[in-house]
Amino acid sequence: MTTRPARTKLGTIGPTTSALGLGCMGMSDLYGPADETESIATLRAALDAGVTLLDTGDFYGMGHNELLIHDALRGRDRADVQISVKFGAQRGPDSSWLGYDASPAATKTALAYTLRRLRTDYIDIYRPARLDPNVPIEETVGAIADLVKAGYVRHIGLSEVGADTLRRAAAAHPISDLQIEYSLISRSLEHEVLPTARELGIGITAYGVLSRGLLSGHWTNDRAIGATDFRGFSPRFQGDNLTHNLNLVEALRTIAEAKGVSVAQVAIAWVASRGEDIVPLVGARRRDRLAEALGALDVTLTQADLDAIEAAVPAGAAAGDRYAAAQMAHLDSEH
């Protein structure tokens, strides 16, 4: 049995949420087929366990994920849940990626569809999925600020932006949190982005804490990757890179076993240990994986544990980038 997730505040002006959030993308898209019944059961189990922060995107399954969350929330008190929505990614009917549109008109149109799919009057945190290179961040933030004033959005968030963009956005309107990948093998934000966010009082919602399953302790070198699973194109899951990265996982397993916990629990606990302003998002698609992730809340890492983890998986230890080159090019946070 795990303890009920503690509550925390996202940045200085953000909402109060659970200390662990649920990332819902994999229930609809990008990791291959998912069981819809099990997805809804997992969402409800998370809510029953005290998880209140649900993260989604309007392009996850082209609205499917939002409809799924609506089904899971049926009969629940909307005020007990914080829904974070990303928008702006443009996709074709064949699921191809066509770029980003975070212009003011597109921002407001996207929200209108999101509100309808979720059957809600407001979104707790609304954020562009990536920086639109054709639209100044001040214009995108200004459009969301209009939606805040109108009561359709409670807080403005950002995703995968760099320190300079973060400053410009915060100057235009208070920002609750920055959603960005953060794990033992994805630590580039520690150089500039994280210090800037802390200076500005902006929280961090950390996705990819298990590096898309790579750090889960359940991945194997011979695991088949389906045609609709984007990990088949991820450099960290390819050939010698995968072998190298799984060796890091085995080093982490030694530490986990000594503590009597799982590899995934150590990896999640490590992200949580980086600061009270960081909320890990776990991408569990099944109730058993959710239960394992919630168990990380009971893991206390001593300084000796942290030193051992750092020695086993030092910063920069991973082989391969976290995305393929075309996707890396869209990450303002990496430039």
Side-chain angles (χ1 to χ4, degrees):
M1 172 122 8
T2 60
T3 56
R4 187 177 178 85
R7 305 280 284 173
T8 191
K9 189 174 176 65
L10 284 183
T12 56
I13 59 94
T16 297
T17 77
S18 51
L20 193 71
L22 183 63
C24 304
M25 179 187 78
M27 297 177 180
S28 299
D29 211 356
L30 299 174
Y31 288 153
D35 183 301
E36 189 166 302
T37 299
E38 180 62 23
S39 294
I40 291 174
T42 301
L43 277 159
R44 291 175 176 165
L47 296 169
D48 290 341
V51 174
T52 66
L53 178 62
L54 304 179
D55 180 74
T56 184
D58 62 11
F59 52 95
Y60 293 167
M62 305 316 296
H64 176 269
N65 206 239
E66 293 174 323
L67 294 169
L68 197 71
I69 290 172
H70 165 257
D71 287 344
L73 292 179
R74 200 185 303 271
R76 307 268 178 166
D77 188 341
R78 171 69 178 87
D80 292 339
V81 182
Q82 298 83 47
I83 303 176
S84 165
V85 179
K86 290 182 290 299
F87 71 92
Q90 306 295 291
R91 301 181 70 182
D94 60 351
S95 297
S96 59
W97 297 90
L98 308 175
Y100 297 90
D101 187 351
S103 63
T107 296
K108 295 176 181 180
T109 301
L111 181 73
Y113 282 105
T114 281
L115 293 173
R116 179 60 62 93
R117 284 188 291 262
L118 284 165
R119 298 291 195 272
T120 185
D121 296 328
Y122 68 93
I123 298 303
D124 295 273
I125 313 167
Y126 202 50
R127 68 182 87 239
R130 296 287 187 268
L131 178 67
D132 183 338
N134 300 312
V135 180
I137 190 62
E138 292 86 353
E139 291 186 17
T140 301
V141 168
I144 308 175
D146 290 343
L147 298 169
V148 171
K149 291 174 187 175
Y152 297 118
V153 171
R154 296 285 172 84
H155 300 279
I156 301 177
L158 295 170
S159 178
E160 289 289 358
V161 300
D164 291 343
T165 302
L166 203 56
R167 290 188 187 280
R168 289 171 52 196
H173 189 279
I175 304 297
S176 66
D177 67 303
L178 170 66
Q179 189 174 116
I180 191 167
E181 185 168 354
Y182 194 19
S183 73
L184 271 166
I185 60 173
S186 296
R187 297 172 60 175
S188 58
L189 82 162
E190 293 177 345
H191 304 301
E192 290 186 65
V193 174
L194 183 56
T196 301
R198 286 175 167 163
E199 176 192 333
L200 298 171
I202 296 171
I204 298 290
T205 41
Y207 75 91
V209 293
L210 295 180
S211 197
R212 298 165 183 82
L214 190 55
L215 294 177
S216 68
H218 303 298
W219 200 274
T220 59
N221 219 327
D222 59 353
R223 177 169 169 172
I225 302 178
T228 59
D229 189 329
F230 93 104
R231 288 172 292 195
F233 306 96
S234 172
R236 289 182 176 173
F237 287 82
Q238 309 303 314
D240 291 342
N241 286 353
L242 179 60
T243 300
H244 171 90
N245 293 330
L246 288 178
N247 285 337
L248 297 177
V249 175
E250 290 311 304
L252 195 60
R253 194 186 304 276
T254 300
I255 298 168
E257 289 179 347
K259 291 185 69 66
V261 300
S262 73
V263 175
Q265 288 167 341
V266 167
I268 296 167
W270 181 88
V271 175
S273 77
R274 308 306 282 179
E276 294 182 1
D277 54 346
I278 297 172
V279 176
L281 300 172
V282 296
R285 299 194 290 174
R286 304 189 331 230
R287 284 169 285 182
D288 58 338
R289 294 289 191 252
L290 172 68
E292 180 182 22
L294 290 171
L297 297 167
D298 293 332
V299 177
T300 300
L301 298 177
T302 66
Q303 187 58 52
D305 292 331
L306 293 171
D307 291 343
I309 292 169
E310 188 69 27
V313 190
D321 287 332
R322 56 191 178 105
Y323 285 108
Q327 292 171 302
M328 287 293 291
H330 291 295
L331 297 179
D332 181 61
S333 55
E334 294 287 348
H335 299 122

